[in-house]
Amino acid sequence: MKKFATLCAVGLLAATLAFAFTGCDTNTPGKPVVTLDLQDGSAPKQVEPPFGNYISGKDSFEAPTRDDWFFNGWFLDKACTVSAHDTRVTEDITVYAGWTDTITVAMNQTADSVPYTELFDISITASAASSHTNLFVTVTPKKDFTGAASTEKFEIQVSLRWLSDEKFMGEYVSDEVVAHASAREIYLEKSNGYTLTNFKTAAEPVPAYVFNNQRTVAVINYVFDEPTLQCKHK
């Protein structure tokens, strides 16, 4: 009888422990593996995003680069017909890099949100007059913007900024902006390849060091009308 009672107690204890472990299971799903197939001849890479993360766009993973191509986002198939955007990562999957030689770039109204140094070259020339210095700006696109999706004409605001002339041991201390020479609203048009030449500043005095030592920079401050530019690799 005692042996039976002992067996019953052991069984009850085992059942209780089993229930406790089952009821308190707090294990979370393991991190799924996302394989990044760059489709450029290189070996695929693998990353482990948190379980349940969404693939939100091009920037979900480190954007790849490839000579003479634009990265066009991640896709669920090798032919790049099904976008991986908004895919929830709950299991191991493979995504494929899409590439294109032409891309349409949206230019927002906030100039700082667009990498203009990748789109335009801005150069400054100067000529000394009797009482002042004339400054000229030329804006030239780095890529071909004449594609069908490009805006016919759009307006930008360009300003010239003087930099500090503070020196130490003969070297400029910083590129601190100390004054604005001018700001102008101007048009860039498809008919001339969006090239602007001889944008002249107001005829106002400019410190000698600005002209003599080229201590001035041209900056695109604002873009009007939310244009788009269809870029094509040259």
Side-chain angles (χ1 to χ4, degrees), residues 66-201:
R66 185 179 177 187
D67 290 344
D68 299 326
W69 293 92
F70 291 107
F71 174 58
N72 199 32
W74 298 105
F75 295 83
L76 297 177
D77 61 320
K78 291 182 71 66
C80 296
T81 60
V82 182
S83 173
H85 183 72
D86 281 344
T87 298
R88 189 165 183 253
V89 181
T90 59
E91 59 184 1
D92 294 354
I93 62 170
T94 297
V95 294
Y96 302 88
W99 302 98
T100 179
D101 66 350
T102 302
I103 192 169
T104 300
V105 179
M107 297 182 66
N108 299 326
Q109 288 188 331
T110 303
D112 291 341
S113 67
V114 179
Y116 289 107
T117 55
E118 296 181 8
L119 301 178
F120 297 102
D121 278 323
I122 305 179
S123 60
I124 306 168
T125 57
S127 63
S130 58
S131 60
H132 60 273
T133 298
N134 289 325
L135 298 177
F136 301 87
V137 175
T138 300
V139 181
T140 307
K142 291 182 177 181
K143 307 182 191 305
D144 176 13
F145 293 151
T146 57
S150 295
T151 304
E152 291 295 328
K153 178 172 68 174
F154 63 94
E155 189 176 5
I156 64 175
Q157 183 186 74
V158 174
S159 71
L160 290 165
R161 300 176 182 178
W162 304 342
L163 305 183
S164 169
D165 64 341
E166 183 182 1
K167 284 187 175 182
F168 178 74
M169 299 294 287
E171 299 291 335
Y172 288 106
V173 175
S174 72
D175 285 338
E176 176 188 5
V177 175
V178 295
H180 294 261
S182 65
R184 295 285 185 85
E185 289 75 37
I186 54 178
Y187 286 103
L188 298 182
E189 300 185 29
K190 181 186 286 189
S191 59
N192 64 12
Y194 299 110
T195 299
L196 170 74
T197 59
N198 293 334
F199 162 53
K200 184 178 178 180
T201 68

